[in-house]
Amino acid sequence: MVTKQFSGSPEDADLTRADSLAREIFSDIANKWALLIIESIGDRTRRFSELRDEIEGISHKMLTQNLRMLERNGLVERTVHPTVPPRVDYTLTEPGRALRPVVDGMCDWTHRYLGDIEASRGRFDG
Amino acid sequence: MVTKQFSGSPEDADLTRADSLAREIFSDIANKWALLIIESIGDRTRRFSELRDEIEGISHKMLTQNLRMLERNGLVERTVHPTVPPRVDYTLTEPGRALRPVVDGMCDWTHRYLGDIEASRGRFDG
DNA sequence: CTGAATCCTCAATGATACTG
DNA sequence: CAGTATCATTGAGGATTCAG
């Protein structure tokens, strides 16, 4: 549950604090760019430019922004190679890898129900 | 994969069309309100006001907007009871229920790594 | 190449009021 | 109660520029 939680116990403060933190994290993760980045990195090591090229439609800014956010939350690790021109590699951390099955599940679901959804849309719109 | 797909085969047009549709659907679903609504409905029948009360922080507008979107994509079914005052029930359809494990997985992941993430944030911010 | 910062625009969101 | 519409505001996100 990432929605409300009632208690009444003395640990109320901690519970609501943990809940609001959970919601904050959930909101960070539950957005398309974050999930697509995780999906794109997978179990590989990817450079900034590779991600930008692979993730259709993502802008330079959105990519850096989301990579920072994922790094801050400890889902991706960023290693800078002091070469010139600079080269930065991104990999998933253990928490990041643990999220992969979830993202895969969402991708699978999307393809599995593509037809049904298209049909439903047709009905709804028409 | 919901990112790029190359082919070169004659079905190119259909492939890219299916891909863009997949991305569209993925973008619809991969947002916090949609996922929280699905989580909140679960296997129950929920009224509009119940959802509004249960999903902390969601506005009237966001709830209706996302419910319409989910209905259009065939994830939720909307049944209006012609009473006064009116009463509207929402339930998950088969595609909607099929997405539950994914959402549950994301919620589980959030709570599982809450501590790690908080620690990582501390390191990153400090 | 990567990334930060700036500016600018438009869409997402909230607040409010009105309808069935 | 549920839903739509309108308006106002904010913030997301794109384009561009500069720096390491």
Side-chain angles (χ1 to χ4, degrees), chain A residues 86-107:
Chain A
R87 174 204 177 104
V88 181
D89 286 337
Y90 292 93
T91 56
L92 292 183
T93 61
E94 200 269 301
R97 283 194 299 275
L99 195 55
R100 284 195 61 205
V102 175
V103 185
D104 288 345
M106 197 173 293
C107 292

Side-chain angles (χ1 to χ4, degrees), chain B residues 37-99:
Chain B
I37 289 172
I38 291 168
E39 169 81 359
S40 183
I41 297 180
D43 53 10
R44 295 165 297 196
T45 295
R46 315 238 72 176
R47 302 182 53 177
F48 182 88
S49 48
E50 291 175 331
L51 292 172
R52 175 167 38 72
D53 293 343
E54 179 162 329
I55 302 174
E56 179 97 12
I58 197 169
S59 69
H60 186 104
K61 189 179 183 178
M62 282 303 97
L63 183 54
T64 52
Q65 217 168 74
N66 277 276
L67 281 172
R68 282 306 152 276
M69 180 272 288
L70 291 172
E71 187 191 0
R72 183 172 108 94
N73 288 325
L75 278 80
V76 306
E77 185 176 351
R78 177 171 173 268
T79 57
V80 182
H81 297 84
T83 60
V84 43
R87 172 202 179 107
V88 182
D89 286 336
Y90 291 94
T91 55
L92 292 184
T93 61
E94 200 269 301
R97 283 193 299 275
L99 194 55

